[in-house]
Amino acid sequence: MRPNPSGDDLEAWAHRHGCASRRDRIGIPEAVIEMSAPSPYLDYITWYTQEYFDHRRSPVKARLFVHDLPLDRMPALARPRSVSPLRRVALPASLEAACFVDDGRRAVHLLPRDDSRPLPRLLATRVLRALVMHELLLQGALFFHAACFTLRGTGIALLGARTAGKTTMLLHALTRPEASLVSNDKIALLPRTPQGPAAALGFPLRAGIRPGSVHSLPDGPLRTFLSRTWSKEYGNTTSPSGDDVRIQVRPQELAAAAGGSGVSPRCRLDAAIETRLDQHADKPRLKLLNAVESGALWARQHLHNPAAIFPQQAAVATPGSLSILQVPQIPTYRLTQPPSAGPASLQLIEDLMCRTAAGE
């Protein structure tokens, strides 16, 4: 390889004769990423993104290369100024891998320092997810900070401030056998088409669950699973304390533990609910928001650029990618509830959805 490798050189190296890498296409219909990576990486990514991303023959939007070449074999790559047109970017756990972006060829190159450890494989998964999100952003998809689930086929987004109870309400919904998990933290809304309404997309993002959310659940498989997971991590659900202490659970594992309908990677979005906790409320109440209130709520939750959508991997995105808010034209409600009102709040939501479906 030349002293100052280009994107062409790196791609040629990835496809050289005798290379241990496999080539595959993985993603969603709107954003297919071609990957060239050693088998352990592709196997890990397939496992981590199962149900959300799958293997497709659709046209490729971007490419991701994970190289089996040690970084010290290419000293020029250690000097960022010498590798134009490649752009070196800093990623989380950057000590585990070097990352270079070729904006002209819409390609990302990862060079792990030690691919025997699991962290570089997780890093590659995050970069793949970031590329899928970025392609959707370029196509006009709108991203929001929201949880999302379906209940009896009805898609419901949960919006609200931090610690407003979105995750807790999502967990309560998953205790119902008719519910499926779409997303626990971020959703993308694809534009409405003549063939149908806007679709909400979920992503393989681990759910951060606090002990209070676990304690609020009724006895059952989901609470047992989360309690055991917490015990493995921290010892028990009462220690340590603090709002920022949480366990991280893959959404697929969360849905499987709940025993409901599993994961739905996309759904028709029928309603949105802003969750609010009120220490003085005696019971949960739902209020239909007017157009001004609804617009303000969606604007607060709108993630309009790569850094807001996925801050840790924003560097892989091309500069200047922004989305302009278009308020979803769906009924939006405010749920005001006392703490620990999860079951009653969920029943209120379910009654509302049934009435709405019946046209009342």
Side-chain angles (χ1 to χ4, degrees), residues 74-123:
M74 288 187 291
L77 292 181
R79 302 189 299 274
R81 294 182 181 179
S82 67
V83 297
S84 180
L86 299 179
R87 174 167 58 90
R88 185 164 188 166
V89 300
L91 297 176
S94 57
L95 295 179
E96 300 288 337
C99 180
F100 298 89
V101 178
D102 188 338
D103 292 313
R105 300 176 67 90
R106 300 183 78 174
V108 176
H109 298 268
L110 284 178
L111 288 87
R113 300 180 187 277
D114 180 4
D115 62 9
S116 65
R117 301 177 60 189
L119 191 53
R121 299 174 193 178
L122 179 59
L123 182 60

Side-chain angles (χ1 to χ4, degrees), residues 133-201:
M133 290 180 168
H134 181 54
E135 291 301 321
L136 289 173
L137 182 64
L138 292 176
Q139 295 174 40
L142 298 175
F143 284 81
F144 297 95
H145 180 211
C148 186
F149 65 95
T150 68
L151 187 60
R152 298 184 181 180
T154 298
I156 302 169
L158 300 174
L159 300 88
R162 183 173 175 268
T163 72
K166 297 188 297 297
T167 299
T168 301
M169 182 55 58
L170 175 66
L171 294 177
H172 278 282
L174 294 181
T175 63
R176 299 293 182 93
E178 309 90 351
S180 64
L181 173 63
V182 178
S183 185
N184 61 277
D185 186 65
K186 291 179 176 66
I187 59 172
L189 291 187
L190 298 180
R192 181 185 294 268
T193 67
Q195 290 74 34
L201 306 184

